[in-house]
Amino acid sequence: MSATTSAGHSEQPGRIMSGEMAEQPAVLRRILDEGAPRIREVAAAIADRKPRFVLLTARGTSDNAALYAKYLLEIRLGLPCGLTSMSTTTAYGAKPNLTDVLVITVSQSGGSPDLVASTQAARNAGAVTLAVTNNPDSPLAAVSEFHIDILAGPERALPATKTYTASLLSLYLFVEGLRGGDGSAAQVLPGLAEQILARKDEVRSLAARYRFAERMVITSRGYGYPTAKEAALKLMETSYIPALSYSGADLLHGPLAMVDNISPVIAVVTDGRGGDALQPVLDRLRGRGADLFVVGPKRQVDTASAGFVLPTEGVAEEVQPVLEILPLQLLAYEVTIARGQDPDAPRALAKVTETH
């Protein structure tokens, strides 16, 4: 892999990442105020094409956003979805029949050659193609039939923060547009995001527990599962702590054996059916004496070793992931600073990763 751009070290370690995390409420408001009409137009045009299946294409942080879209599309619309294996076309030259298939490619930069090539191949194979990016002038946007701009503004820190939550909200509004909904459940997000991000001191004290952690396990179910995967990615790329993410159901099928009272377990407990489905897993973790950190409703945090209470009462389950990731972004940042590292410039990484 090679890179076309990179973020330099900031004068103060983490200054850029911290600033971009703080921008997220404003970005969410911008999407709701300025981006939503265009997203509805795109959704209406694609709904008229009546896709029979959806394929989602992405890498890294964008892959976690795409997984969130998979849950939305399957639960809210009943549309079967799959995650693309890009090498089938880019490396093996497969030529699938994608007539009446919607291919959604999610990418912050829209610049990775494999994403562009895979999307072009899908369009050539008859797919309806949609790019969701932070760059309307990108090669990916150019080869796609439709494009949604997530309006996050320039992102310079290597760990993606505001582009992740912007992708989530944009994808939510798109799916709501496909089903003829108004997306009103998202209106509460900017204000609640401000409240969460204002609790930095609380997260800093929690981060002290995990400064010397050698491994973490992160788990969730349902809409919270993409959050678990994204939190693991953030911890690994900033603090270099090996962080393993599992669906709660998968955790019980073997990996639970590695859980002890030393390695922390972070549970993302969505307030709704996903959280209910995770309850047996939480019970097993407590039974094993795990150091359990819960991000979720107060009733769940109160029975854990530590946690962060999310203000999700009355918030629709399908939009809670936009809020769930915020304290975990802060946690990754604070743990990294506590370990004497710079989260703005993780080693061996670059902002635009080129894969072929």
Side-chain angles (χ1 to χ4, degrees), residues 64-199:
N64 299 326
L67 180 59
Y68 167 70
K70 184 177 187 291
Y71 276 91
L72 285 173
L73 288 157
E74 291 183 343
I75 295 170
R76 307 285 286 171
L77 274 77
L79 268 176
C81 299
L83 299 176
T84 303
S85 299
M86 280 176 275
S87 62
T88 61
T89 55
T90 61
Y92 291 93
K95 298 185 183 300
N97 178 4
L98 299 180
T99 304
D100 299 327
V101 173
L102 170 61
V103 172
I104 303 173
T105 306
V106 186
S107 171
Q108 299 152 42
S109 68
S112 187
D114 60 345
L115 292 170
V116 176
S118 177
T119 301
Q120 182 65 70
R123 190 169 182 180
N124 294 342
V128 179
T129 53
L130 167 65
V132 179
T133 81
N134 197 37
N135 183 2
D137 299 319
S138 63
L140 179 60
V143 301
S144 301
E145 185 176 356
F146 297 96
H147 177 256
I148 289 174
D149 185 351
I150 65 172
L151 300 175
E155 188 174 59
R156 295 189 296 137
L158 286 171
T161 54
K162 64 178 182 174
T163 53
Y164 179 69
T165 50
S167 295
L168 296 189
L169 178 54
S170 299
L171 288 163
Y172 167 74
L173 293 174
F174 170 70
V175 173
E176 283 300 288
L178 286 179
R179 64 191 294 270
D182 61 6
S184 58
Q187 292 296 324
V188 299
L189 295 177
L192 292 176
E194 280 185 335
Q195 293 178 27
I196 292 169
L197 291 169
R199 295 161 61 187

Side-chain angles (χ1 to χ4, degrees), residues 191-328:
L192 292 176
E194 280 185 335
Q195 293 178 27
I196 292 169
L197 291 169
R199 295 161 61 187
K200 289 185 292 186
D201 291 345
E202 181 181 340
V203 176
R204 187 174 299 120
S205 64
L206 289 168
R209 292 174 59 94
Y210 308 115
R211 177 181 177 183
F212 299 108
E214 295 182 359
R215 180 186 68 199
M216 289 187 179
V217 174
I218 308 177
T219 188
S220 189
R221 289 203 71 180
Y223 285 116
Y225 181 42
T227 307
K229 290 176 68 67
E230 174 61 11
L233 177 59
K234 283 293 155 286
L235 282 161
M236 287 188 288
E237 68 182 354
T238 56
S239 69
Y240 317 141
I241 297 173
L244 308 173
S245 59
Y246 295 99
S247 157
D250 288 333
L251 184 63
L252 295 182
H253 286 267
L256 184 67
M258 70 177 174
V259 172
D260 53 30
N261 61 357
I262 299 174
S263 299
V265 178
I266 299 175
V268 181
V269 186
T270 303
D271 195 358
R273 294 186 184 184
D276 294 342
L278 189 64
Q279 190 60 53
V281 182
L282 299 176
D283 293 340
R284 291 284 297 276
L285 289 169
R286 293 186 184 102
R288 290 187 62 82
D291 179 356
L292 181 61
F293 178 108
V294 167
V295 175
K298 186 177 187 301
R299 64 183 182 277
Q300 296 288 355
V301 173
D302 286 346
T303 59
S305 307
F308 187 98
V309 177
L310 286 174
T312 51
E313 184 176 352
V315 178
E317 183 178 358
E318 59 268 20
V319 299
Q320 289 180 34
V322 179
L323 304 175
E324 290 168 349
I325 192 59
L326 300 177
L328 295 168

